[in-house]
């Protein structure tokens, strides 16, 4: 990367984090405090990372788990339970999406095999 591109990226990142700092506040402590919930949130971030690594060339297959990991990590760092809850919701949507892709993939494969064998 050239220096002028790197500076531009860092400035955009600073603006993003400055906006994020205005929105995040320590609140809803039940989702951010305690060793058990911290472990759970950490495991969910790992799950989001694993889902990010899935080699699916489909729309939203990287976006949804990335937002889940972002919200969970930012919520844990800032002790913002609302962001952690948003991470839970995004992870739920991610798992629902991957489940739907799997179910439709199996149904499509069965239909294709039925069509070929006829």
């Amino acid at each position: 990367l050239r220096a002028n591109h790197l500076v531009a990226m860092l400035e955009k990142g600073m603006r993003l984090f400055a906006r994020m700092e205005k929105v995040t506040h320590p609140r809803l402590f039940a989702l951010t405090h305690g060793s058990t919930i911290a472990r759970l949130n950490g495991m969910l971030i790992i799950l989001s990372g694993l889902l990010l690594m899935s080699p699916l060339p489909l729309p939203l297959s990287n976006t949804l788990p990335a937002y889940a990991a972002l919200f969970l990590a930012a919520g844990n760092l800032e002790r913002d339970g609302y962001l952690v809850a948003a991470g839970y919701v995004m992870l739920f949507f991610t798992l629902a999406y991957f489940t739907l892709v799997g179910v439709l993939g199996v149904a499509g494969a069965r239909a294709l095999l039925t069509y070929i064998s006829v």
Side-chain angles (χ1 to χ4, degrees), residues 7 26 32 46 58 73 81 88 94 96 114:
V7 169
T32 59
I46 291 171
L58 299 172
Y88 292 163
T94 301
T114 304

Side-chain angles (χ1 to χ4, degrees), residues 18-88:
R19 279 188 283 165
M20 221 167 131
E21 281 288 326
K22 292 178 184 176
V23 176
T24 60
H25 305 288
R27 54 192 165 190
L28 199 60
F29 294 118
L31 296 179
T32 59
H33 287 74
S35 61
T36 305
I37 198 75
R39 285 188 187 108
L40 173 69
N41 290 341
M43 287 189 286
L44 293 178
I45 291 171
I46 291 171
L47 176 62
S48 295
L50 291 173
L51 292 173
L52 264 169
M53 292 190 309
S54 63
L56 295 175
L58 299 172
L60 302 177
S61 65
N62 282 340
T63 307
L64 292 174
Y67 277 122
L70 172 71
F71 290 152
L72 285 167
N76 281 325
L77 286 173
E78 298 291 331
R79 302 290 185 216
D80 189 349
Y82 288 167
L83 276 178
V84 171
Y88 292 163

